[in-house]
Amino acid sequence: MYNDKVIDHFTNPRNVGEMPEADIIGEAGSFKCGDTMKIYLKIEQERITDVKFQTFGCGAAIASSSMLTEMVKGKTLKEAQLVTNEDVAIELGGLPPLKMHCSNLAADALQDAINKYRGKRKSVRA
Ligand code: FES
């Protein structure tokens, strides 16, 4: 059902865990299955310098989270904001159609973190 790359990211997820020194934490949950994800970002001068995640979900969700963290580390917030769940699925070599919604968790948590970060910066400046 899953290709080798997905299985690799599921069984050996990259950047997994908490980040106490994170500048912002993004969260997302799936209405479809109840699974959840948290993403932790360290940001310096609008660039993601470190990223970690915790996902309570299926294999596809964990693989997508792991892949997304690899894709956005080192990117500017502007670049990271353009990463979609389809991009993550493509980078994984594809997900079974029934599992495409699982890749939303990672992309949604990332968007949530970036939006919260921008909101926080705005309120500090105001
Ligand atoms: Fe819930 Fe995959 S079944 S995220």
Side-chain angles (χ1 to χ4, degrees), residues 30-120:
S30 169
F31 287 114
K32 248 183 163 155
C33 62
D35 291 341
T36 60
M37 176 188 182
K38 263 188 189 179
I39 191 166
Y40 302 83
L41 301 182
K42 189 87 198 134
I43 299 166
E44 278 167 37
Q45 295 179 342
E46 294 285 303
R47 191 173 291 278
I48 298 171
T49 56
D50 202 6
V51 51
K52 286 213 181 295
F53 79 92
Q54 290 178 306
T55 293
F56 301 96
C58 68
I62 291 169
S64 300
S65 306
S66 168
M67 178 53 83
L68 177 119
T69 59
E70 288 211 313
M71 289 169 73
V72 302
K73 200 188 262 189
K75 277 193 164 56
T76 64
L77 295 179
K78 242 187 195 161
E79 291 165 342
Q81 202 149 31
L82 298 176
V83 175
T84 65
N85 69 316
E86 279 98 1
D87 296 331
V88 176
I90 289 167
E91 205 61 32
L92 281 170
L95 285 171
L98 274 176
K99 288 287 175 181
M100 268 308 285
H101 79 273
C102 310
S103 61
N104 284 335
L105 269 189
D108 289 353
L110 174 69
Q111 298 304 325
D112 183 56
I114 294 173
N115 289 336
K116 278 181 186 162
Y117 183 76
R118 293 204 190 288
K120 200 167 131 184

